[in-house]
Each structure stands twice: as C-alpha cells, then as structure tokens.
Amino acid sequence: DQQVKQNSPSLSVQEGRISILNCDYTNSMFDYFLWYKKYPAEGPTFLISISSIKDKNEDGRFTVFLNKSAKHLSLHIVPSQPGDSAVYFCAATWYSGGGADGLTFGKGTHLIIQP
Amino acid sequence: ETGVTQTPRHLVMGMTNKKSLKCEQHLGHNAMYWYKQSAKKPLELMFVYSLEERVENNSVPSRFSPECPNSSHLFLHLHTLQPEDSALYLCASSQGRSVLNEQFFGPGTRLTVL
C-alpha cells in the first residue's frame, strides 16, 4: 500500500498563476517531508523541505504547507513560470530514525505551465 | 565533469546478458544510493552505501549486485534480468545519510530487458 500519494498525475496551469501540487501520506511516523523536481533526461533535484514542527516553509516562489492532522502537504508555486514545467515528487521520512535511507516517494505530478 | 554522472544513459539487454551500470560522483560525498523507477510506480530505494560499506538492501533480487570500490564510484551489476526489471535506474549521493543532507541524483540509465 502506498504510504505517500500524489493523486494527480498531471496538472496544467497558466503562466503567472499559482500552481498547487498536493501530496497525502498515511504513515504517522513521518515527520520530515521533501519536494523534488525532475526535468526529462535529468535526475530529480531537491526543491524544498519541511519538518513536522512547522506548518509552512517558504523559499522564493515556492512554499510548502503541512497539515499534520489531515496528513496532507502541498507545494505552492507563485507566480508559475514556463521553466517550472517538470515532474514534482513528494517524499517523506522520519527524521528521528529513518535517515535519508528511509525516503518514501510518491509517483509524481507532471506540472505543465501554459503560456 | 561535475555532480553525479551515470553511464550508459540507455541500455537494451537480453535476459541472458550480463551488464553493469556505472555511477560516479564528483561532489566529495560519502554516501551513495541506487534507486529504481518503474513505469507508473514511485521511486524505490534499492541499495545504500556509506563509507563504501553497504548499509541497506531493500529485498532486492540477487540478479542485481551492487559494488562500491571507493567513495566516488558505484556500480550495479546485472545478470539474468527479467522484462519486469525494465526501468529507470537512478544513482544518488549525499554527504552523510541524514535527511538534512540533500541527495544529488544522476540523470539515470534507462534499461530495457527484452
């Protein structure tokens, strides 16, 4: 059973608007969450992370929100730019013991920014 | 070369072949990883090496055999694979295994088993 779920395989957003990518998790042990971005023919690159002691982390145009009670996190990109078109992976682990080995990934959401 | 490189980028092999995937990191990291990404499935961790010792093996079939001769190089030796092993194989490295240490990924090897 998937512990990290990204239920939208793809998302299309107009340039300049906000992109919202969603991720749900089932394992209550998870306390650290990461977003990775992947372009075709390249490996994933780390984008932003959040610890369970926070409910929001912001880095430039990217903001991750965490709702622990709903076991839900989301990545907001505003404003969306053509270069943001990529596949976005959500990943989760438990910092207290899992280490980087314990990263559990979602299937990814393909974000398409339309001009 | 910078970052994490992987060769070959594409590989087609028969079920009776033996081949190897190579990963090299130029970042001075001390932990290296092999991941598998099958179509429509999440990224799955296969092996972890820390300071050249294998520290994780996630129930991977023995037809996949990793090797880490030094901290900069990681190999995945393949033999008698099955068509369902066709996938994108990604290598990553990090400085230490804590989640706070970012993993840097290579571009992957697209493997097709006929």
Side-chain angles (χ1 to χ4, degrees):
Chain A
D1 188 32
Q2 269 192 273
Q3 297 186 66
V4 176
K5 299 179 184 178
Q6 293 178 258
N7 292 320
S8 298
S10 66
L11 175 68
S12 185
V13 174
Q14 206 164 13
E15 182 180 356
R17 299 285 183 106
I18 183 170
S19 296
I20 300 175
L21 296 97
N22 294 303
C23 178
D24 296 293
Y25 62 96
T26 57
N27 191 333
S28 301
M29 295 281 292
F30 289 147
D31 58 11
Y32 196 78
F33 306 89
L34 307 90
W35 283 95
Y36 284 81
K37 175 179 178 180
K38 184 181 185 301
Y39 292 118
E42 294 183 15
T45 54
F46 170 75
L47 192 57
I48 192 168
S49 62
I50 188 166
S51 163
S52 60
I53 61 173
K54 293 185 172 184
D55 54 19
K56 176 183 173 181
N57 189 24
E58 193 173 348
D59 183 3
R61 296 186 298 113
F62 302 90
T63 303
V64 56
F65 295 92
L66 175 62
N67 182 334
K68 290 186 288 294
S69 60
K71 293 191 178 69
H72 176 83
L73 63 154
S74 60
L75 174 68
H76 293 214
I77 306 172
V78 55
S80 300
Q81 297 175 355
D84 296 330
S85 295
V87 178
Y88 290 79
F89 294 98
C90 173
T93 188
W94 50 97
Y95 172 64
S96 54
D101 309 351
L103 284 177
T104 301
F105 284 85
K107 290 183 182 180
T109 296
H110 185 192
L111 176 65
I112 302 161
I113 305 301
Q114 295 183 333
Chain B
E1 291 275 18
T2 58
V4 182
T5 58
Q6 290 186 243
T7 54
R9 295 294 307 275
H10 299 271
L11 178 63
V12 179
M13 61 186 288
M15 290 192 284
T16 58
N17 291 157
K18 287 185 181 181
K19 296 285 184 184
S20 296
L21 309 185
K22 179 183 175 183
C23 174
E24 185 172 359
Q25 59 96 0
H26 309 267
L27 301 167
H29 290 164
N30 58 16
M32 297 187 78
Y33 312 79
W34 278 116
Y35 287 87
K36 175 184 178 181
Q37 187 178 23
S38 304
K40 297 191 167 111
K41 284 190 176 181
L43 213 60
E44 298 171 72
L45 180 67
M46 299 175 74
F47 300 104
V48 181
Y49 275 83
S50 178
L51 298 171
E52 300 155 40
E53 286 191 28
R54 190 191 309 182
V55 295
E56 182 101 5
N57 177 348
N58 280 356
S59 304
V60 179
S62 59
R63 56 185 184 268
F64 294 92
S65 175
E67 179 191 1
C68 187
N70 55 62
S71 59
S72 300
H73 294 86
L74 185 65
F75 293 90
L76 188 62
H77 303 298
L78 317 170
H79 63 97
T80 57
L81 294 193
Q82 305 297 312
E84 59 265 29
D85 297 322
S86 298
L88 179 68
Y89 289 84
L90 289 161
C91 172
S93 70
S94 64
Q95 184 53 35
R97 293 163 55 206
S98 165
V99 292
L100 301 181
N101 299 322
E102 180 184 342
Q103 291 189 28
F104 291 79
F105 284 83
T109 295
R110 175 70 62 187
L111 174 67
T112 303
V113 182
L114 300 176

